[in-house]
Amino acid sequence: MEKAGLVVMEARARNFYLVPYLLWIVLFVVAPILLIVYYSFFNVEGEFTLSNYEKFFTPVYLRMTLSSFWYAFLITFFSLLVAYPTAYLLTRTKHKGLWLLLIILPSWINLLLKAYAFIGLFGTYGFVNAVLELTGIGTKQLLFTDFSFVFVSVYIFIPFMVLPIFNALEKMNPTLVYAARDLGASAWTTFRRVIFPLTLDGVKAGCMAVFIPALSLFMITRLIAGNRVITLGTAIEQHFLVTQDWGMGATIAVFLIIAMALLMLLTGNRKRGLIDIAKK
Amino acid sequence: MSGLVRTFLLVFIVAFGLMYAVAALNSSEGYSGGNTLTIYNWGDYIDPELIKQFEKESGIKVIYQTFDSNEAMMTKIKQGGTTFDVAVPSEYAISKMKEDDLLLKIDHGKLPNLKHIDPDFMNLSFDPDNAYSVPYFWGTVGIIYNPKMVGDLTFDSWEDLWDESLRNNIFLLDGAREVMGMGLNSLGYSLNDTIQEHLQEALAKLSELTPNVKAIVGDEIKMLIANEEAAAGLVWSGDASEIMDQNEDLDYVVPQEGSNLWFDNMVIPKTASNLEGAHAFINFMLDPEVAAQNTEYVGYSTPNKEALALLPEDISGDERFYPDKELTDRLEVYDNLGPRMLSHYNELFLEFKMHRK
């Protein structure tokens, strides 16, 4: 009798704990998305229309979408390239906490400040060019190039890639690695067949955490890329702040949301597939 | 965990304590409700000393807030919430705000200093009889350049920006109206042109400029050009004077084909709660000595002819910032093109930005 009562109470408590979360989700996730969808059906004069969606399928916006995805891909790819070895090394160091802190530390500094710092570093008469000059390579244009845009973005996103990979590596049972080595797997095979598949979830979480915000980057496109890189984020910013064409801005946002949802679905499926392969 | 909670609690308690202390101090000095004036202006667009002087003379406490674009300012005023008493929009924004019924009429009887304003800057198309606005500063859009870096180019014509020697060596201001306007002007069209073929022609012309454009940037343009990151740039005259203060080698010119002439005027938005104070402040800013001091600080061109007379010759006689009638006649003020056309301008501008080298 007593036990049953406890279970009911527990269930009730659980429901009760759900309230803040549900409230949060409804107020700050569901409602804004619905609002965005609602706004996307109005043109700049406030009339109900589908013309925003038509406009999205013109070459201007399609090319912008393509370039957004391309740069987001580059940023994610290079972040992963740097972050995976870093995370791996981190799990092997003595003072993990300290090293991790040092990697996360830059994310405590405001993004704009970091961007401005890079303007100084990458400028024609900046530090990097001074070094290039000294080493005999000579001054190069760094600012307002694809290189600097991807570099700075990778720099900003690295902590978001390192953390989930680090966690996945930490959670991995080290005896599996020993077993693989005992059974004669080379270091590369161990990595390819054991470590990487087991940390794939971390890699995916990291890629999501980088790719999705990278799709809608906007301030850096102006400060570092000098508007030579135009992403959907730039267009949204312009429509909301300059043209006041909230409908078009919202429409682009709707497409971004759809793209992200699709992406998550796709990677979610592939995850199951890959783990199955690993099991075999 | 409890340590964390305790820390947060402490921060909250200290913050609320300080807020209370500030409120208590303000009311003990007579700064409360009816005795404050909220001013909404562009960043770095007034000599802070003048605000102090106004507070001392009038006994009104000034709350000073800034914005970085007309659009952001209009959105905030439309939303209400803050009781802005005085704002400083540009001309096309004034006509839009008038349309949207966001402005209050200005009582000229309370502005004895209005007589100091040059009649040339009164009664303009965006605000007939200055019913809603009073001139604050004005200026042009033109080219700032570094004579050491551009060879023989003088930029008397927009065409010079297209010169092959300037490959990857110019900056543009990140503004749809400014850049599209430049494209239209360089073809001899009006910068308020709304004819589709002309706009497309301007876009085609601008895309030829792409190889020369190093970047399209915002306020950073001042720092970048002062640091000689590029040889030339499309800028506002006021920004140009600021840049030239930092780097004396530079020069500013308004091309002969014509360009934009703009005005920033003081207005009293619908949100105002202290009308007496707002008029007092506007009148204060129109005082010749105050306006002269402000002009020296801000660096834009003053519409106040008495103030101009007080300024040293090297400012008031500078033809780059106080161009003669012959040039100003060729300049155009932005019309309020309506949201649809503005949106179209922005789309063309986006298209221009997307051209790859």
Side-chain angles (χ1 to χ4, degrees):
Chain A
M1 202 52 215
E2 238 175 39
K3 227 179 181 178
L6 252 170
V7 170
V8 171
M9 258 173 65
E10 247 173 42
R12 216 176 272 160
R14 218 182 305 138
N15 285 340
F16 180 72
Y17 292 143
L18 216 60
V19 170
Y21 177 67
L22 278 181
L23 261 179
W24 182 269
I25 290 282
V26 168
L27 277 177
F28 298 112
V29 179
V30 178
I33 290 181
L34 287 180
L35 263 179
I36 287 175
V37 174
Y38 173 79
Y39 272 119
S40 70
F41 290 114
F42 291 91
N43 69 8
V44 76
E45 269 134 16
E47 299 152 16
F48 184 87
T49 166
L50 285 173
S51 65
N52 290 333
Y53 285 87
E54 252 167 63
K55 218 193 265 171
F56 188 84
F57 288 102
T58 54
V60 181
Y61 289 102
L62 289 179
R63 258 175 48 213
M64 213 184 293
T65 314
L66 216 67
S67 94
S68 294
F69 273 84
W70 171 241
Y71 284 105
F73 165 75
L74 282 181
I75 292 164
T76 315
F77 177 75
F78 285 109
S79 298
L80 182 62
L81 216 60
V82 179
Y84 203 98
T86 313
Y88 191 75
L89 269 179
L90 269 179
T91 57
R92 298 267 173 286
T93 50
K94 236 187 200 160
H95 308 283
K96 281 177 206 164
L98 178 73
W99 288 108
L100 205 58
L101 183 79
L102 285 179
I103 285 179
I104 300 169
L105 207 62
S107 63
W108 293 2
I109 299 163
N110 184 292
L111 190 122
L112 285 181
L113 284 180
K114 286 189 278 190
Y116 272 101
F118 271 108
I119 295 183
L121 283 173
F122 280 168
T124 312
Y125 306 102
F127 175 77
V128 176
N129 268 322
V131 171
L132 285 180
E133 196 67 33
L134 268 180
T135 51
I137 297 168
T139 305
K140 293 261 181 307
Q141 187 195 338
L142 299 167
L143 216 51
F144 313 123
T145 57
D146 284 1
F147 162 78
S148 62
F149 175 65
V150 174
F151 185 91
V152 173
S153 310
V154 167
Y155 163 79
I156 282 161
F157 284 125
I158 275 211
F160 302 102
M161 188 66 104
V162 169
L163 275 180
I165 297 177
F166 173 79
N167 284 336
L169 281 165
E170 278 281 282
K171 264 192 297 185
M172 192 183 64
N173 188 343
T175 54
L176 291 172
V177 178
Y178 302 143
R181 298 306 298 270
D182 274 354
L183 292 170
S186 67
W188 170 242
T189 313
T190 313
F191 173 75
R192 200 166 55 92
R193 303 293 294 269
V194 180
I195 302 176
F196 190 71
L198 282 172
T199 52
L200 201 62
D201 275 345
V203 171
K204 272 181 188 162
C207 286
M208 282 289 146
V210 172
F211 191 83
I212 290 176
L215 260 186
S216 48
L217 270 179
F218 63 92
M219 245 356 240
I220 304 175
T221 54
R222 192 187 91 194
L223 289 174
I224 301 296
N227 274 319
R228 309 273 39 177
V229 173
I230 296 291
T231 62
L232 292 173
T234 333
I236 295 178
E237 187 212 9
Q238 264 208 7
H239 280 304
F240 273 88
L241 292 181
V242 184
T243 45
Q244 315 251 289
D245 188 353
W246 291 24
M248 195 59 217
T251 307
I252 303 171
V254 167
F255 279 102
L256 267 180
I257 293 170
I258 294 173
M260 288 166 191
L262 278 178
L263 222 69
M264 282 185 144
L265 273 175
L266 278 176
T267 48
N269 284 340
R270 206 185 304 148
K271 171 176 110 187
R272 239 170 282 138
L274 275 177
I275 281 179
D276 285 345
I277 293 164
K279 271 181 195 152
K280 277 166 204 163
Chain B
M1 202 59 196
S2 75
L4 198 65
V5 172
R6 230 176 293 149
T7 317
F8 272 111
L9 266 178
L10 194 72
V11 169
F12 274 119
I13 290 168
V14 170
F16 275 107
L18 284 174
M19 260 167 67
Y20 177 77
V22 167
L25 274 174
N26 274 348
S27 63
S28 73
E29 281 176 36
Y31 292 152
S32 67
N35 215 7
T36 65
L37 188 72
T38 310
I39 297 178
Y40 201 26
N41 198 354
W42 298 82
D44 206 17
Y45 207 29
I46 193 170
D47 182 352
E49 286 299 317
L50 291 173
I51 297 181
K52 278 187 208 145
Q53 192 186 329
F54 175 73
E55 284 183 328
K56 215 190 259 166
E57 283 178 16
S58 65
I60 297 175
K61 161 92 177 159
V62 170
I63 301 165
Y64 190 74
Q65 293 196 30
T66 60
F67 55 84
D68 59 7
S69 78
N70 281 302
E71 288 72 22
M73 181 262 319
M74 281 190 274
T75 311
K76 210 156 171 198
I77 285 178
K78 218 182 269 181
Q79 281 167 350
T82 315
T83 54
F84 296 113
D85 296 300
V86 178
V88 189
S90 309
E91 72 293 316
Y92 72 95
I94 292 172
S95 71
K96 189 157 189 286
M97 289 170 89
K98 251 166 46 182
E99 257 171 44
D100 294 350
D101 201 21
L102 292 173
L103 298 180
L104 295 175
K105 283 211 168 177
I106 287 177
D107 183 353
H108 288 207
K110 286 180 185 155
L111 303 175
N113 284 333
L114 194 58
K115 62 174 186 284
H116 302 306
I117 296 287
D118 189 327
D120 278 353
F121 298 107
M122 299 286 284
N123 195 16
L124 293 166
S125 62
F126 58 89
D127 185 21
D129 297 325
N130 287 74
Y132 295 93
S133 73
V134 171
Y136 184 63
F137 279 115
W138 65 279
T140 53
V141 169
I143 299 169
I144 186 160
Y145 66 100
N146 192 329
K148 287 190 307 189
M149 296 165 78
V150 297
D152 299 332
L153 298 175
T154 53
F155 299 99
D156 278 333
S157 160
W158 288 112
E159 218 52 52
D160 283 2
L161 280 180
W162 272 260
D163 194 276
E164 273 185 28
S165 65
L166 291 176
R167 281 284 172 269
N168 203 24
N169 216 356
I170 62 176
F171 284 124
L172 299 180
L173 192 74
D174 188 11
R177 296 279 330 240
E178 287 71 29
V179 175
M180 284 303 293
M182 171 180 83
L184 288 164
N185 278 151
S186 70
L187 291 165
Y189 298 132
S190 156
L191 45 69
N192 291 312
D193 209 321
T194 56
I195 299 165
Q196 201 46 242
E197 291 98 70
H198 293 176
L199 290 173
Q200 289 299 337
E201 224 178 297
L203 179 63
K205 173 94 187 189
L206 284 173
S207 63
E208 286 166 26
L209 184 65
T210 305
N212 285 5
V213 179
K214 189 170 184 186
I216 302 164
V217 287
D219 267 340
E220 315 83 70
I221 199 166
K222 293 190 249 179
M223 169 181 91
L224 291 166
I225 292 182
N227 290 342
E228 303 188 352
E229 290 276 352
L234 173 77
V235 291
W236 305 98
S237 58
D239 283 355
S241 95
E242 230 173 279
I243 300 167
M244 283 150 66
D245 281 344
Q246 288 172 45
N247 186 336
E248 306 216 325
D249 292 336
L250 301 177
D251 207 349
Y252 175 78
V253 66
V254 180
Q256 293 297 316
E257 292 100 331
S259 179
N260 169 233
L261 176 69
W262 54 263
F263 303 90
D264 285 340
N265 284 18
M266 294 181 276
V267 300
I268 304 180
K270 261 260 144 71
T271 54
S273 66
N274 187 353
L275 281 178
E276 283 302 315
H279 281 99
F281 179 78
I282 293 174
N283 193 45
F284 172 78
M285 292 311 295
L286 293 174
D287 179 84
E289 267 175 44
V290 171
Q293 186 182 333
N294 203 25
T295 307
E296 270 191 89
Y297 178 87
V298 176
Y300 281 67
S301 313
T302 181
N304 192 316
K305 62 178 192 296
E306 303 295 326
L308 196 59
L310 292 175
L311 285 167
E313 173 65 22
D314 63 315
I315 294 179
S316 59
D318 193 335
E319 290 238 337
R320 295 171 300 189
F321 298 107
Y322 295 95
D324 54 21
K325 194 95 177 85
E326 194 204 340
L327 178 62
T328 46
D329 280 348
R330 258 175 287 136
L331 302 178
E332 286 176 282
V333 179
Y334 289 136
D335 289 341
N336 173 18
L337 297 176
R340 195 173 280 235
M341 205 57 205
L342 190 63
S343 196
H344 186 58
Y345 263 69
N346 268 279
E347 239 139 59
L348 294 174
F349 184 48
L350 265 181
E351 212 171 311
F352 161 63
K353 283 189 194 171
M354 282 195 313
H355 279 293
R356 304 293 296 178
K357 275 176 219 176

